[in-house]
Amino acid sequence: MYRGLYTGALLLFSVFALTWYFTFFFKRYWIEDNKLFIKSIWGTESVDVNSIRKVETDKVFWFGATKFTVLRPYRRGMILHYNVIDNIFVDPENPTQFIDKLRQIAPNIKVVE
């Protein structure tokens, strides 16, 4: 009886762990024409590079609401401010190269470190 309960709990934990992993760590970024594409487990979002006003570098995005840092992982990246009030957190593999590509398309982007 307990064997099925443990198997079910292990399976449920595995599903949650995989969903968390792909949601938190599995983002991809690429630029085509004048669009920045952000692909995650939830789908693909696009941002017009010419609408990006400001890039804040060296920011930390905390995931979760617990106060224990072991259970509250984080990512280091940057915040892109675009349109009037929108922003999005990105963590490209090479931040300097990423900003250079953005500035080639829209040289008026303000970079705040």
Side-chain angles (χ1 to χ4, degrees):
M1 177 172 156
Y2 289 113
R3 184 176 169 94
L5 181 64
Y6 292 135
T7 304
L10 182 63
L11 181 64
L12 185 62
F13 174 76
S14 299
V15 168
F16 283 134
L18 284 173
T19 302
W20 174 81
Y21 172 79
F22 283 112
T23 300
F24 193 65
F25 293 107
F26 191 71
K27 285 196 170 184
R28 300 290 177 252
Y29 313 99
W30 71 93
I31 299 172
E32 286 181 14
D33 300 324
N34 290 341
K35 295 267 187 191
L36 166 65
F37 291 94
I38 301 136
K39 183 178 182 176
S40 68
I41 192 171
W42 308 115
T44 303
E45 184 178 347
S46 67
V47 174
D48 184 14
V49 174
N50 291 314
S51 69
I52 298 174
R53 306 182 323 270
K54 180 170 68 169
V55 176
E56 292 183 50
T57 61
D58 202 27
K59 293 295 180 180
V60 174
F61 175 74
W62 290 94
F63 181 77
T66 61
K67 293 187 180 188
F68 302 109
T69 56
V70 172
L71 300 174
R72 191 173 161 195
Y74 67 92
R75 292 185 297 178
R76 186 167 295 279
M78 58 186 73
I79 300 174
L80 304 178
H81 298 273
Y82 63 99
N83 294 335
V84 177
I85 59 170
D86 298 321
N87 60 42
I88 191 164
F89 181 86
V90 295
D91 61 337
E93 290 180 18
N94 188 337
T96 307
Q97 186 179 17
F98 183 77
I99 291 172
D100 289 342
K101 285 183 182 179
L102 292 177
R103 282 190 142 174
Q104 285 176 356
I105 297 170
N108 59 342
I109 294 175
K110 179 181 176 184
V111 178
V112 178
E113 295 187 27

